[in-house]
Amino acid sequence: MDMNEADPKGLIRESYKIDGIGEAECRSIFMDWALSLAPGLDAKEAIRTVLVGYQGPPEHPMSRVLSEGLTRESGAPMRRGGARGRRF
């Protein structure tokens, strides 16, 4: 996968350039980035591509957010309960 596919708007690249950026801002940028990926693109492969391509320091908040994205399971959403869940 090339960088144009993995970071189509350059959001991850730019996040590494922002001085003093925090984890909350990185999470927001990550969400925007994930929504900008082409349909059907493997998000985990895109995360690996930007981590290797940009070589951000491991202590950078965006590096931590991206690493979390690799370790999180992306299975089907779980039922949360509520009145609708109890109706037949």
Side-chain angles (χ1 to χ4, degrees):
M1 176 178 304
D2 71 4
M3 291 301 281
N4 290 329
E5 288 178 305
D7 192 14
K9 294 182 179 178
L11 296 172
I12 305 296
R13 179 187 67 239
E14 293 302 316
S15 72
Y16 280 113
K17 295 179 181 179
I18 299 172
D19 288 333
I21 193 168
E23 194 163 323
E25 293 91 357
C26 287
R27 288 185 186 284
S28 178
I29 291 169
F30 179 81
M31 182 62 75
D32 289 342
W33 168 82
L35 293 172
S36 72
L37 292 175
L41 194 75
D42 182 6
K44 288 192 177 192
E45 182 63 30
I47 291 172
R48 286 184 199 95
T49 300
V50 295
L51 276 171
V52 170
Y54 295 139
Q55 298 180 356
E59 67 276 358
H60 193 282
M62 183 53 81
S63 296
R64 289 193 301 265
V65 169
L66 290 167
S67 294
E68 270 184 39
L70 284 175
T71 60
R72 292 256 172 122
E73 289 296 320
S74 59
M78 296 178 64
R79 180 176 136 5
R80 295 186 62 152
R84 286 189 172 174
R86 291 187 295 273
R87 292 185 190 150
F88 295 131

